[in-house]
Amino acid sequence: MASVLNTVPSLRLSNLNTTPRLRAHPISMPFSVSFTRRRLTIRAAETDADKVKSTAPDKAPSGNGSSFNQLLGIKGAAQETNKWKIRLQLTKPVTWPPLVWGVVCGAAASGNFHWTPEDVAKSIVCMMMSGPFLTGYTQTINDWYDREIDAINEPYRPIPSGAISESEVITQIWVLLLGGIGLAGLLDVWAGHDFPIVFYLALGGSLLSYIYSAPPLKLKQNGWIGNFALGASYISLPWWAGQALFGTLTPDIIILTLLYSIAGLGIAIVNDFKSIEGDRALGLQSLPVAFGAETAKWICVGAIDITQLSVAGYLLGAGKPLYALGLLALIIPQVFFQFKYFLKDPVKYDVKYQASAQPFLVLGLLVTALATSH
């Protein structure tokens, strides 16, 4: 779920995307616990590990990396030896807030959330499922299957650098996956659902996260499909979970949130620019690789802006002009920061752009949610 929205900071239910790096799985499991050391060694040989390692010294971070960045799982992280801090880094806490926010939007859209201790407790458990558990699962499994790419782009990351063992990574993936699905089942019982909808949303988001990162499908190899899957994981899945927990998930909301996931596709493209070298080397057709950086950055901002303008038009047509105007007001600063940072240099200013513009996008999600609840 947090398959659903690799990351925004991350909308990669949350994955439940439950996402999207955005960026809440029967579920096909990511790997077999019976993997042997010999089998893993063979796989490494198939990806020319020696050649990959030779690029590491030129890209190693300086010794003054940030411990704060390390805990958040973002660029500029300090090298760490504490295993629990490394485990946290793999879950990329910086990507959790969009999923948590998606749950808030879903609860608001339900029109049935009340500020009682029980409803607040339910929402917190749903946020834990979408963020730390299922988004953490998504980010960890993504790093596992990206270890060859990271050995080129970011060889100092925990897995390619050897800071954490393969068995420890696999254990973490299983714990987070089973923990997230278990919380989903608990929420269905707690809400008194006849049909375990939150459980199936979590299961579906987890499967989407798996096929996004893992062969043979590996959706991320296709820039369009992969980024939309990531956007849906970060926007649609947590929203659906929050709304289903407190109310009824309706077809119009499903369509509206999937439309909004196109904006999530744009956000996911932002994260592709820093990986152009490794993606090209390993044959991944991210949009910056397929179209070139100049064209891809306009596809990115177009997906974000046109989607929000379309939603504002929908709200206006639905007889909710104040909400439509509120959404338009939140689009303006996003366009400003696109020209100030992202369109100038999407690699250099990606973090500044996301930190500046995305708060307005997620506020727009809440405006839309409140509009649909009335």
Side-chain angles (χ1 to χ4, degrees), residues 247-327:
T248 302
L249 186 58
T250 57
D252 59 323
I253 290 296
I254 292 175
I255 294 172
L256 181 63
T257 51
L258 287 175
L259 173 63
Y260 233 125
S261 297
I262 298 175
L265 177 150
I267 295 170
I269 297 173
V270 174
N271 297 304
D272 288 338
F273 286 90
K274 66 178 181 292
S275 303
I276 291 177
E277 179 186 344
D279 290 347
R280 184 180 290 118
L282 294 177
L284 298 183
Q285 287 298 301
S286 67
L287 295 186
V289 171
F291 293 96
E294 189 65 25
T295 301
K297 68 184 183 183
W298 286 102
I299 294 175
C300 174
V301 299
I304 294 171
D305 298 341
I306 294 173
T307 297
Q308 294 178 93
L309 289 170
S310 299
V311 173
Y314 166 81
L315 295 178
L316 184 63
K320 299 176 180 179
L322 292 180
Y323 288 103
L325 288 174
L327 183 55

Side-chain angles (χ1 to χ4, degrees), residues 36-53 144 147-148 166:
T36 63
R37 184 175 301 276
R38 176 177 298 176
R39 185 173 175 185
L40 289 170
T41 302
I42 292 172
R43 180 173 293 178
E46 289 171 349
T47 56
D48 296 326
D50 292 340
K51 182 178 179 180
V52 167
K53 287 180 181 177
W144 170 256
R147 59 195 186 279
E148 288 87 12
E166 294 164 342

Side-chain angles (χ1 to χ4, degrees), residues 176-201:
L176 293 173
L177 172 62
L178 297 177
I181 292 176
L183 287 178
L186 171 65
L187 287 170
D188 280 317
V189 173
W190 197 350
H193 290 159
D194 294 327
F195 178 79
I197 184 170
V198 179
F199 173 82
Y200 279 108
L201 285 172

Side-chain angles (χ1 to χ4, degrees), residues 102-125:
V103 173
V104 171
C105 291
S110 74
N112 198 38
F113 175 84
H114 304 287
W115 288 100
T116 63
E118 182 178 11
D119 279 3
V120 170
K122 286 180 183 176
S123 64
I124 290 174
V125 173

Side-chain angles (χ1 to χ4, degrees), residues 70 86 89-90 143 154-165:
Q70 187 273 327
I86 293 172
Q89 181 181 0
L90 284 175
D143 270 21
E154 301 173 277
Y156 43 83
R157 290 193 58 76
I159 296 176
S161 69
I164 186 169
S165 71

Side-chain angles (χ1 to χ4, degrees), residues 3-5 12 19-20 22-23 208 212 219-220 222-236 240 254-255 257-266 268-269 272 287 307:
S3 344
V4 169
L5 333 151
R12 143 276 239 169
T19 217
L22 182 264
R23 271 175 171 27
L208 184 59
Y212 172 81
L219 299 182
K220 67 187 299 179
N222 182 292
W224 294 108
I225 298 175
N227 285 331
F228 182 77
L230 194 62
S233 298
Y234 275 83
I235 295 177
S236 298
W240 296 350
I254 292 175
I255 294 172
T257 51
L258 287 175
L259 173 63
Y260 233 125
S261 297
I262 298 175
L265 177 150
I269 297 173
D272 288 338
L287 295 186
T307 297

Side-chain angles (χ1 to χ4, degrees), residues 33 44 49 51 58 61-62 84 95 140 150 156 245 247 250 255 278 285 340 357 370:
V33 291
K51 182 178 179 180
D58 296 332
S62 60
W84 288 106
T95 64
T140 305
D150 286 342
Y156 43 83
L245 180 61
T250 57
I255 294 172
Q285 287 298 301
K340 182 176 181 180
L370 291 172

Side-chain angles (χ1 to χ4, degrees), residues 61 64-67 69-70 74-78 154 156:
N64 59 352
S66 167
S67 296
N69 287 12
Q70 187 273 327
I74 58 178
K75 291 190 300 184
E154 301 173 277
Y156 43 83

